[in-house]
């Protein structure tokens, strides 16, 4: 009890009992409440280094295994590549077991060897030294040289530009171009910065304009302008492949741009 009789008959607080209650309250176990995911701590330093190292070693072995199994290696650069475009390239070379490696440039360099002492096979160091930049890949194949060169160099396909791309040409649209769109598109056009309104049940340019310029030639395209170019069917980029060099049986050849 926290209360006891004082000398004058009035109740007073028993401080020792109150202290005991506080101590018991502090040592009382908490209820098992579900923890919030937001408050969960993730230690970024506690990654499995062995797993990462094993993965890198496996990748290097796969590259070297491809060197042993195929007669030639082609280093190529690509522009405006999307997975849907490059899927056809992989399908073209899949039948005979050819391999294509994209990305992980440093591991590709290590696998081939960056010096005469490190190179996995003679003159592979010259290929490794040219694996620079983010848009390169290696093709390992035993196909005829002319067949490979003709196919890769013919890969030029127009595509819609992505944000950050440079416009290949100027694009202007007018009310005639807008006439084929339903009125429900007005808000999408406005969000992309296009001044439009609805008149007589049609989407038209606002303020009496007859033309609206989406982009200028060599302008760096924003995400909004890229969306407008898609709506109006203007493809401002080209997917293409450029051969850099070829290695075959220890012989190294560099392609001229």
């Amino acid at each position: 009890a926290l209360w006891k009789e004082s000398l004058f008959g009035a109740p007073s607080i028993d401080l020792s009992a109150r202290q005991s209650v506080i101590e018991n309250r502090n040592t009382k176990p908490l209820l098992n409440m579900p923890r919030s995911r937001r408050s969960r701590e993730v230690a970024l330093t506690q990654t499995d280094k062995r797993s990462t190292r094993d993965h890198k070693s496996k990748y290097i072995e796969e590259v070297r295994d491809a060197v042993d199994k195929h007669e030639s290696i082609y280093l190529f650069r690509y522009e405006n590549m999307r997975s849907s475009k490059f899927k056809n390239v992989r399908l073209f070379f899949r039948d005979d077991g050819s391999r294509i490696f994209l990305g992980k440039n440093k591991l590709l360099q290590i696998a081939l060897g960056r010096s005469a002492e490190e190179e996995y096979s003679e003159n592979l160091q010259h290929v490794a030294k040219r694996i620079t930049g983010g848009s390169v890949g290696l093709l390992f194949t035993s196909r005829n040289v002319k067949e490979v060169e003709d196919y890769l160099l013919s890969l030029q396909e127009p595509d819609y530009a992505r944000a950050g791309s440079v416009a290949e040409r100027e694009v202007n649209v007018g009310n005639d171009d807008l006439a084929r769109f339903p009125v429900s598109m007005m808000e999408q056009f406005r969000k992309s910065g296009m001044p439009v309104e609805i008149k007589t049940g049609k989407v038209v340019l606002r303020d009496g304009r007859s033309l609206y310029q989406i982009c200028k030639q060599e302008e760096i395209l924003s995400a909004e302008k890229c969306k407008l170019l898609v709506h109006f069917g203007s493809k401002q980029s080209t997917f293409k492949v450029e051969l850099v060099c070829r290695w075959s049986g220890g012989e190294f050849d560099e392609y001229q741009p």
Side-chain angles (χ1 to χ4, degrees), residues 120-134:
Y120 183 67
S121 189
E122 186 178 2
N123 286 325
L124 276 180
Q125 60 169 313
H126 300 300
V127 179
K129 289 177 181 178
R130 288 162 176 77
I131 303 176
T132 58

Side-chain angles (χ1 to χ4, degrees), residues 48-182:
D48 191 344
K49 294 183 179 180
R50 175 178 293 182
S51 176
T52 303
R53 186 166 56 249
D54 291 344
H55 177 74
K56 291 180 179 180
S57 299
K58 183 179 179 181
Y59 188 80
I60 292 173
E61 288 302 318
E62 287 180 359
V63 175
R64 291 177 174 175
D65 184 59
V67 174
D68 296 332
K69 289 182 177 179
H70 300 92
E71 295 179 3
S72 301
I73 304 172
Y74 295 84
L75 174 63
F76 59 89
R77 299 188 187 280
Y78 53 86
E79 294 181 18
N80 304 306
M81 189 271 284
R82 301 196 185 196
S83 57
S84 58
K85 304 291 183 183
F86 214 80
K87 181 180 179 181
N88 295 330
V89 180
R90 291 189 181 277
L91 289 175
F92 180 83
F93 289 103
R94 187 177 64 179
D95 294 341
D96 61 351
S98 299
R99 290 291 305 273
I100 296 177
F101 293 87
L102 298 178
K104 301 181 181 178
N105 290 2
K106 188 174 181 179
L107 292 182
L108 291 176
Q109 291 175 341
I110 293 173
L112 299 182
R114 293 169 288 189
S115 65
E117 295 76 23
E118 296 177 355
E119 61 184 11
Y120 183 67
S121 189
E122 186 178 2
N123 286 325
L124 276 180
Q125 60 169 313
H126 300 300
V127 179
K129 289 177 181 178
R130 288 162 176 77
I131 303 176
T132 58
S135 302
V136 296
L138 286 177
L139 166 65
F140 296 79
T141 184
S142 297
R143 290 198 182 188
N144 178 271
V145 175
K146 188 176 185 305
E147 179 186 4
V148 175
E149 292 176 346
D150 289 347
Y151 176 75
L152 291 179
L153 295 176
S154 67
L155 290 174
Q156 292 196 19
E157 187 176 347
D159 199 358
Y160 292 110
R162 294 179 176 180
S165 301
V166 178
E168 294 181 349
R169 58 190 176 277
E170 181 179 308
V171 177
N172 298 291
V173 295
N175 289 324
D176 291 339
D177 301 301
L178 289 167
R180 60 188 177 90
F181 292 98

